[in-house]
Amino acid sequence: MAASQTLQLSSLNNVEILPIQVIDIEENKIQEPAADEFDYSQRGQWLRAAVLGANDGLVSVASLMMGVASVKNDIKAVMVAGFAGLVAGACSMAIGEFVSVCTQRDVEISQMKSEKLERSLESDENDEKLPNPGQAAVASALAFAVGAVLPLLAAAFIKQPKVRMAVVFVVASVALVAFGVVGALLGGTPVVKSSARVLVGGWMAMGTTFGLTKLIGIDHGMQI
């Protein structure tokens, strides 16, 4: 009898171990999607930042070209000004983003140290979660350049000044609406409202630059 009771107890102990292992496996399976959701969130933020950078490039270069065209009909002057705006804007965006992300990275590392998270600081996984200044700078510059090249391509092959500026205005307007839609979808905001806001803001920037540059050029007889 004692031997049979011992066998029953040992079998019960073996049975009790299995559910614990199954629970651990199930917990690991539950935790895995959380990491995937975090990755998708980060990708959404990067995409939204890229759309905003492209929008900045489009508005900046289109406004610059409109301003130059208001006092100079030469296509060479307009294209050179637009290209200079593309290069200057891309460099400015890259430097600004690099400095900003470096500051953010330093703050996060300092916070980790103050909280004494030694394991997080020593693990490679935590390093991947920290923002990368170089990657952010390149992405910001490329996004700005993509938006800035659109008005340049629109004006490159049109000789008539008025037609050229009309085409630049139309292309810029269509691109602004597209950027507004994409930004709204990524940010979870109303599409129509966001697109209208981006479009009207771009029109204001182009109109203000065109009007003020033309006014100054006429008053001072400027020749570019």
Side-chain angles (χ1 to χ4, degrees), residues 88-100 133-134 136-142 144:
C91 292
S92 177
M93 291 287 289
I95 295 171
E97 191 72 13
F98 183 85
V99 173
S100 176
V138 172
S140 181
L142 288 177
F144 186 94

Side-chain angles (χ1 to χ4, degrees), residues 59-110:
V59 173
S60 298
V61 173
S63 299
L64 181 59
M65 293 174 66
M66 297 285 286
V68 174
S70 67
V71 295
K72 188 70 173 179
N73 293 329
D74 185 13
I75 185 174
K76 184 177 180 180
V78 174
M79 295 299 294
V80 169
F83 181 76
L86 186 156
V87 176
C91 292
S92 177
M93 291 287 289
I95 295 171
E97 191 72 13
F98 183 85
V99 173
S100 176
V101 175
C102 281
T103 302
Q104 179 183 353
R105 185 185 178 92
D106 293 341
V107 170
E108 292 183 6
I109 292 176
S110 177

Side-chain angles (χ1 to χ4, degrees), residues 8 13-15 21 27-28 36 43 48 69 74 87 90 101 122 128 134 143 157 159 164 168 180 183 191 214 221 223:
Q8 290 177 356
N13 291 331
N14 293 333
V15 172
Q21 294 177 351
E27 289 180 354
N28 292 333
D36 294 338
R43 292 172 186 174
R48 191 166 184 271
D74 185 13
V87 176
V101 175
E122 294 175 356
E128 293 178 357
F157 305 102
K159 295 182 179 180
R164 181 170 59 245
V168 169
V191 174
K214 188 174 183 63
Q223 295 293 330

Side-chain angles (χ1 to χ4, degrees), residues 4-159:
S4 62
Q5 289 179 356
T6 302
L7 290 174
Q8 290 177 356
L9 290 175
S10 61
S11 62
L12 289 174
N13 291 331
N14 293 333
V15 172
E16 290 176 355
I17 294 173
L18 293 176
I20 296 174
Q21 294 177 351
V22 172
I23 292 173
D24 291 337
I25 295 173
E26 291 178 353
E27 289 180 354
N28 292 333
K29 290 182 179 178
I30 294 173
Q31 292 176 355
E32 289 178 357
D36 294 338
E37 292 177 358
F38 178 80
D39 291 339
Y40 282 120
S41 176
Q42 292 294 325
R43 292 172 186 174
Q45 292 178 3
W46 276 100
L47 288 173
R48 191 166 184 271
V51 171
L52 294 176
N55 183 79
D56 290 342
L58 173 66
V59 173
S60 298
V61 173
S63 299
L64 181 59
M65 293 174 66
M66 297 285 286
V68 174
S70 67
V71 295
K72 188 70 173 179
N73 293 329
D74 185 13
I75 185 174
K76 184 177 180 180
V78 174
M79 295 299 294
V80 169
F83 181 76
L86 186 156
V87 176
C91 292
S92 177
M93 291 287 289
I95 295 171
E97 191 72 13
F98 183 85
V99 173
S100 176
V101 175
C102 281
T103 302
Q104 179 183 353
R105 185 185 178 92
D106 293 341
V107 170
E108 292 183 6
I109 292 176
S110 177
Q111 183 177 1
M112 290 176 184
K113 290 181 179 180
S114 64
E115 294 175 354
K116 298 180 180 180
L117 298 177
E118 297 179 356
R119 295 181 180 178
S120 297
L121 291 174
E122 294 175 356
S123 63
D124 296 334
E125 182 179 356
N126 185 75
D127 292 338
E128 293 178 357
K129 292 181 180 179
L130 290 173
N132 189 329
Q135 184 180 3
V138 172
S140 181
L142 288 177
F144 186 94
V146 168
V149 79
L150 295 178
L152 287 171
L153 292 176
F157 305 102
I158 301 176
K159 295 182 179 180

